[in-house]
Amino acid sequence: MPPRRPERADRDIDPRPRRSAERASPGSPTSRGARRRGRLLSLAVAALVSAARPAPIAAQPSPAEPASEDVAAAHGRWRAAVERDDLAEGAALADRYFALLEGTSGVDSELAHFYLGYGDYARAEALLVRGLTREQPSFNDEGMLYARLGNVYLDLGDLQSAEELLKRAQPLLQGWGEFYAVDSLARLYLERRALRSFAEALDRMRVILREATGGSGWAYAIPDLRAAQLSLRRGQVEEAERRLLDLRPRLDPALPAQSAVRADLLEELGVLFTRKGDPGAEALLLQALVIRERLFAPDHPAIVRALGHLANLHVAQGRTAVAVRTRERAAGLQDRSARANLARGSERQKRLYMGLVQRDTDATLSLHLQGAPRDQAAARLALRSILRRKGLALDAIAESFASLRRSLDAEGRALLGALTQLDAKLSTAITRGPIDLPAEEHQREVEQLEAERQRLEFQLAARTRAARPADAKEPPITVEGVQAAIPDGAALVEIVQYRPHDPFGPPVRPTWGKPRYAAYVVGRRGDVTGVDLGDAAAIDAAAAELSRDLSNPERDPRERARRLDALVMQPIRGALGPARWLLLSPDGALNLVPFAALVDEEGGYLIERASFTYLTSGRDLLRAAGAAAPQAGAPRGGVLVIADPAFGSPSELAPDDDATRGLRSAELAGARFPPLPGTEREAEAVRSALASATVLTGPSATEEALKRAQRPRVLHIATHGFFLPDQGSPADPPGTRGAAIEGPAFRENPLLRSGLALAGANARRSSSDEDDGILTALEISSLDLHGTQLVVLSACETGLGEVPRGDGVYGLRRALLLAGAETQVMSLWKVGDMATRDLMTSYYAALARGGGRSEALRSAQLEIRRERPHPHAWAGFITSGEGAALDGRQVAPAFARVATSPRGCACAAGEEGPGAPPALAALAAALVLAARKRWPRRPGNW
């Protein structure tokens, strides 16, 4: 019997599988490019399809394998429902058939195609990957499996993998099969705006059509439809209109009434008429929506897109309330789809998928900030979208790890152990470089390890999904729920980077504008306030300039601290009212700024007037509120302190190391770390403050000891830290954050470019050692720190990392969140050994007195500031995560009344500097008065 394949040209055309008698002649996949990224993708795809069958992603099959007649009967019932065009029943029967099929070694490409069209990408992917693992599939079967899997990745935003698979498929297919693969490539190039490749794909499609026999007549118009779509996206309105109106009479009589191609045509005409102000736009868009709802799963991306077009039309019509309701429905479906799709795939695939979701988020924020800034429903919808989506990929990965540790069987634990070992090997390969291997061979080894890691991530994600109960439902994230978790007197400040969306787009202006920052402010009660902060590039530049000044004690940072405050915090203060306890969730480059070191309108540092607790997302408040409070007498993990590691023989240090001795940072290129004598006294201070602390120093402060730790209640590590520049980018000039590492220039995972130095770090010899004294963030992410209330990384630059918008900080911060730690204290620049010892001593003393994890740090910083006023000495550390005391109590910050000098120092009210002349005091008073006139306060502000 010939293999089944869709008769239609576009895989979105109809989710029902069709029969075709065509078969493709043999061919062979071709190698694509010599760039590392292409090689890595090829390795990842090869590792994926050559792996053992992935774990089931539906309910676990029963121990007894279902009888073949049961599977056959389920297949028959599903096929009958599909033939009746009963999509709802067909989807339910497909799930039953899939569950039975998972208990066998069978593969059904028809079912995979059904799921692909319907929008259940996890099940489609599982079936297609299983099909590719069969021994010696026919060339045509293999080609269609590659093509359909490429379409799965295309819809989920992984364009690189999709292109790789579609190009593998094309030489294996002929006729309509090749047309399907090339049309998919055309849609991919349309998404990328790769115009030359798009034109080549259209040319190839037309050649195939000239040679084709059979097929549906309307399929011959597909290249013209794709060309019309390109014209519309480029703002060539007249050209798009000509093409679409020419296509409509050709396609209308030939297309089935319920066809995705018909919906595509109607939708493109509706978008065109919306831009022209034609009153017929709404009817066209509604028709397209009805068809898509008839063909696809309720949360299919095409339905979300169709609702977005309708919302844009309502904005153009001035129907703001209707636009908000329509966009709210689209956002709800997008959130539901995101939860399902983030339960599959590797971390890289999760991040790429969230790039698609970001578009809907940007459009939702634009509706409020650009279209309806005074509409409270629009403001709450915008904040809800941020709360549900910001950092969601990180949450999905962290929950996956936690679920695996809680519920894995022996096979699953073996997979998790294999991933941990692989992380250690990969970390060693990266931090060591090609010590005893040629550079090219070392690079190939790294690529193979990365590909193997993606395969293991894929399998672990599938197993996590399988372990989740079928009826498991997470409570929805709401603004009201988050408000209820905000302490009295505090305010949540969500800063987000977004791209303004203009639904009317080209040719007048671009559809997507340049990135901007916005802030949403909400307290325990009351309305949501949204503030557009302005151009992201300008704010990022101001943040980078301030970071350079703060990290250098010889620079005066006040001017740039005031400039960044004026751009970011001054507009936010207008929405805060009297709130001074800020639960702050930054985004982008603002993740790397200590807001306490900003300077307000009166010349004072914000540490005097506000308390900041940093969050990845306001959603973190719900996690903290839902955590069980510690019970009196309940057993807890202990306190583990690792300090003053024996890095290696001092004789191995270079003779000119005096310049770096006492700084907790080191250049890995030389692979030599100087001792940190202050950390031993720091460890003793921690032991004095927190009873029963276990302290590991010298040769005992090893990587192995840390990996063996069993969920300590508090983990304190005082050592050298590092964050390395991206090998694919120009190295930072000397003296900037991070450290250089010798080796080939290629892009590295940020979790492999940040880490800590432990005992033996100077004695590394062979690249085969896994515990080599260098603990990367990737290795830290595999630790089990669930139940660990506080992790303090008393080292250099431990809070740095890559900062993609909407996804936190890729570095040690992310690693600790993945490991399960509640709260992290970490640094943003190179810190002095002795100053850090004093800061940490004060911090733990405040914790021992019952202070909050966040407020205790602020108290310690204020204490250090009295002796060392420059913010380089006191502002380098921040608290991220839960800010409550270790016993679970929320501790409100205390603020003293402060008189501020024009120098920005906080002297007690009525005090003067020593020996201040009367003339200088008068000048100071005049300057303060001038500052107040220049920067007047708004009523209700601080």
Side-chain angles (χ1 to χ4, degrees):
M1 177 179 177
R4 294 181 182 270
R5 124 164 28 127
E7 178 188 19
R8 317 217 173 201
D10 190 318
R11 79 103 188 97
D12 271 341
I13 291 171
D14 190 338
R16 298 172 297 175
R18 304 285 180 174
R19 181 174 301 180
S20 173
E22 296 179 40
R23 297 182 65 90
S25 62
S28 59
T30 57
S31 175
R32 300 291 176 179
R35 293 184 310 161
R36 176 181 182 271
R37 182 173 295 172
R39 290 199 308 271
L40 180 54
L41 283 169
S42 299
L43 284 166
V45 170
L48 183 66
V49 301
S50 65
R53 179 175 67 87
I57 63 169
Q60 294 281 9
S62 58
E65 183 172 304
S68 59
E69 56 265 25
D70 293 338
V71 177
H75 172 265
R77 288 192 294 271
W78 164 66
R79 286 294 303 147
V82 170
E83 293 299 333
R84 291 194 305 271
D85 284 337
D86 188 339
L87 187 63
E89 183 181 2
L93 291 171
D95 291 349
R96 172 61 182 160
Y97 173 40
F98 177 84
L100 292 171
L101 196 65
E102 278 289 293
T104 73
S105 58
V107 177
D108 191 329
S109 59
E110 284 183 319
L111 184 61
H113 184 55
F114 173 86
Y115 278 132
L116 172 59
Y118 183 65
D120 191 334
Y121 299 110
R123 287 187 170 92
E125 180 183 41
L127 288 166
L128 292 166
V129 170
R130 179 191 281 199
L132 286 167
T133 63
R134 291 180 304 173
E135 293 185 5
Q136 297 181 341
S138 70
F139 284 106
N140 187 68
D141 281 350
E142 186 179 11
M144 288 308 297
L145 289 168
Y146 276 126
R148 288 171 178 163
L149 188 58
N151 272 276
V152 169
Y153 295 150
L154 175 58
D155 277 6
L156 294 176
D158 188 355
L159 302 188
Q160 294 171 342
S161 295
E163 183 179 21
E164 172 78 17
L165 289 162
L166 290 168
K167 286 183 174 181
R168 283 176 178 241
Q170 187 180 348
L172 300 173
L173 297 167
Q174 287 184 340
W176 292 109
E178 185 186 0
F179 186 89
Y180 171 78
V182 178
D183 181 47
S184 301
L185 281 168
R187 293 189 298 112
L188 185 151
Y189 296 136
L190 180 62
E191 176 70 19
R192 274 188 182 166
R193 303 293 194 272
L195 301 185
R196 178 177 297 179
S197 298
F198 178 78
E200 291 172 353
L202 291 193
D203 290 344
R204 180 58 190 162
M205 289 165 67
R206 293 187 174 103
V207 169
I208 295 170
L209 290 173
R210 286 197 296 269
E211 300 172 352
T213 58
S216 300
W218 53 261
Y220 292 81
I222 294 295
D224 293 331
L225 176 60
R226 300 288 176 243
Q229 291 172 326
L230 175 63
S231 298
L232 189 57
R233 283 154 181 73
R234 298 182 70 187
Q236 299 168 339
V237 178
E238 294 181 358
E239 176 69 14
E241 183 175 22
R242 181 187 66 77
R243 288 180 180 275
L244 290 170
L245 293 178
D246 178 62
L247 279 171
R248 193 169 187 183
R250 293 164 55 194
L251 290 176
D252 265 346
L255 283 169
Q258 304 296 329
S259 161
V261 171
R262 180 183 292 279
D264 284 347
L265 177 62
L266 293 171
E267 188 170 278
E268 298 295 348
L269 282 167
V271 171
L272 174 66
F273 287 3
T274 297
R275 291 187 183 179
K276 295 184 64 179
D278 192 308
E282 187 164 14
L284 291 166
L285 292 174
L286 284 171
Q287 288 179 57
L289 176 62
V290 168
I291 292 173
R292 297 199 190 285
E293 290 177 327
R294 175 69 183 81
L295 290 177
F296 301 140
D299 55 1
H300 194 284
I303 295 177
V304 175
R305 186 173 62 245
L307 288 168
H309 290 317
L310 274 170
N312 294 339
L313 173 64
H314 297 148
V315 171
Q317 295 171 336
R319 300 160 65 192
T320 301
V322 180
V324 171
R325 288 197 298 271
T326 306
R327 181 63 69 182
E328 184 173 18
R329 184 187 168 200
L333 295 178
Q334 181 69 82
D335 293 335
R336 174 179 165 182
S337 177
R339 286 194 298 271
N341 289 320
L342 287 174
R344 55 152 298 281
S346 65
E347 179 177 358
R348 170 182 164 274
Q349 290 173 320
K350 287 178 171 65
R351 288 190 285 108
L352 290 170
Y353 174 73
M354 286 307 297
L356 292 182
V357 177
Q358 185 66 49
R359 296 181 188 176
D360 183 76
T361 307
D362 289 347
T364 302
L365 267 63
S366 298
L367 172 61
H368 171 235
L369 296 169
Q370 314 293 329
R374 293 181 176 83
D375 190 291
Q376 186 59 204
R380 285 187 169 267
L381 173 60
L383 178 56
R384 191 188 76 179
S385 295
I386 296 167
L387 291 171
R388 290 184 176 182
R389 299 171 185 177
K390 191 177 183 182
L392 189 56
L394 171 62
D395 270 12
I397 299 164
E399 175 55 31
S400 176
F401 274 41
S403 175
L404 288 169
R405 291 185 177 111
R406 286 193 304 264
S407 58
L408 274 185
D409 55 16
E411 183 182 352
R413 285 194 297 272
L415 274 175
L416 191 57
L419 183 62
T420 301
Q421 290 181 348
L422 189 64
D423 287 347
K425 290 181 180 178
L426 191 53
S427 298
T428 299
I430 292 296
T431 59
R432 283 284 196 59
I435 292 178
D436 48 13
L437 290 174
E440 291 186 2
E441 185 177 342
H442 171 261
Q443 184 170 327
R444 284 194 299 270
E445 178 186 3
V446 170
E447 292 171 0
Q448 289 170 353
L449 289 171
E450 288 177 336
E452 175 66 11
R453 192 176 196 279
Q454 287 193 37
R455 184 186 70 84
L456 287 175
E457 286 179 333
F458 178 90
Q459 291 188 309
L460 286 168
R463 187 166 290 276
T464 304
R465 185 179 174 111
R468 185 178 296 121
D471 58 351
K473 293 183 179 179
E474 298 177 1
I477 307 295
T478 65
V479 175
E480 293 74 17
V482 171
Q483 282 186 276
I486 297 174
D488 282 321
L492 171 65
V493 180
E494 278 280 6
I495 299 178
V496 61
Q497 191 180 129
Y498 79 106
R499 294 183 65 191
H501 176 247
D502 187 338
F504 311 107
V508 178
R509 47 192 175 264
T511 303
W512 299 99
K514 294 181 179 180
R516 300 176 69 81
Y517 278 106
Y520 282 82
V521 180
V522 67
R524 187 174 178 85
R525 287 167 289 275
D527 288 345
V528 173
T529 303
V531 182
D532 186 287
L533 300 177
D535 180 63
I539 292 174
D540 287 348
E545 290 171 356
L546 175 59
S547 293
R548 282 194 291 270
D549 281 359
L550 290 172
S551 63
N552 186 345
E554 302 301 319
R555 290 176 177 265
D556 184 348
R558 287 171 297 175
E559 180 181 347
R560 290 193 168 100
R562 174 70 202 117
R563 179 166 180 260
L564 185 60
D565 178 87
L567 291 172
V568 178
M569 279 306 300
Q570 185 171 338
I572 291 173
R573 279 195 288 275
L576 286 171
R580 301 165 72 182
W581 181 3
L582 306 187
L583 309 172
L584 180 65
S585 172
D587 198 7
L590 294 176
N591 277 293
L592 308 180
V593 172
F595 278 67
L598 300 187
V599 172
D600 69 6
E601 300 94 324
E602 294 194 359
Y605 287 110
L606 296 193
I607 191 173
E608 303 160 8
R609 294 173 172 83
S611 176
F612 296 92
T613 297
Y614 297 85
L615 306 172
T616 301
S617 162
R619 192 171 61 251
D620 295 349
L621 297 174
L622 296 178
R623 187 160 38 242
Q631 298 180 357
R636 305 183 195 174
V639 177
L640 176 61
V641 180
I642 296 179
D644 193 21
F647 301 116
S649 170
S651 63
E652 294 177 345
L653 296 174
D656 59 348
D657 267 280
D658 289 340
T660 60
R661 192 182 308 275
L663 285 180
R664 300 187 184 187
S665 179
E667 298 290 320
L668 286 189
R672 296 294 180 266
F673 298 89
L676 295 167
T679 62
E680 184 175 7
R681 291 189 290 277
E682 180 179 318
E684 290 305 318
V686 177
R687 194 206 301 265
S688 299
L690 301 180
S692 303
T694 299
V695 177
L696 301 178
T697 60
S700 299
T702 63
E703 184 178 353
E704 182 183 5
L706 180 54
K707 290 178 178 178
R708 284 200 314 265
Q710 296 295 313
R711 301 182 181 183
R713 179 188 174 204
V714 175
L715 174 61
H716 182 97
I717 305 176
T719 184
H720 286 290
F722 61 87
F723 174 66
L724 309 180
D726 187 342
Q727 289 295 304
S729 307
D732 289 335
T736 58
R737 65 175 70 110
I741 185 171
E742 295 176 346
F746 55 87
R747 190 173 184 82
E748 300 291 359
N749 182 342
L751 298 192
L752 289 167
R753 296 190 274 115
S754 53
L756 303 168
L758 296 169
N762 287 341
R764 292 173 294 159
R765 292 288 181 258
S766 168
S767 60
S768 62
D769 297 334
E770 293 179 14
D771 291 338
D772 59 353
I774 299 293
L775 187 70
T776 66
L778 188 65
E779 293 174 283
I780 291 174
S781 69
S782 297
L783 300 178
D784 186 0
L785 297 179
H786 288 85
T788 298
Q789 294 178 276
L790 175 64
V791 176
V792 177
L793 299 184
S794 183
C796 273
E797 302 177 333
T798 51
L800 299 185
E802 298 291 344
V803 284
R805 67 173 180 146
D807 205 18
V809 180
Y810 277 73
L812 285 164
R813 281 202 228 183
R814 186 178 188 87
L816 289 169
L817 285 169
L818 290 174
E822 284 184 17
T823 307
Q824 308 91 43
V825 174
M826 50 196 64
S827 64
L828 297 175
W829 52 76
K830 296 178 180 180
V831 291
D833 186 21
M834 299 307 172
T836 301
R837 181 201 64 193
D838 294 344
L839 179 70
M840 291 300 161
T841 300
S842 296
Y843 177 57
Y844 280 100
L847 280 178
R849 293 192 299 268
R853 280 166 268 184
S854 179
E855 182 58 15
L857 181 63
R858 175 174 173 269
S859 173
Q861 289 173 327
L862 287 169
E863 185 175 335
I864 294 298
R865 186 165 177 261
R866 296 190 189 102
E867 300 295 328
R868 302 180 179 94
H870 195 290
H872 172 83
W874 53 263
F877 283 88
I878 61 170
T879 305
S880 178
E882 173 58 55
L886 292 176
D887 61 6
R889 293 178 301 105
Q890 289 291 344
V891 180
F895 299 100
R897 295 183 59 83
V898 197
T900 308
S901 80
R903 296 181 303 162
C905 65
C907 306
E911 285 186 3
E912 295 181 0
L920 184 57
L923 177 61
L927 288 172
V928 170
L929 180 62
R932 286 177 176 169
K933 289 181 178 179
R934 183 177 179 186
W935 297 308
R937 291 193 174 200
R938 301 184 185 182
N941 289 3
W942 304 339

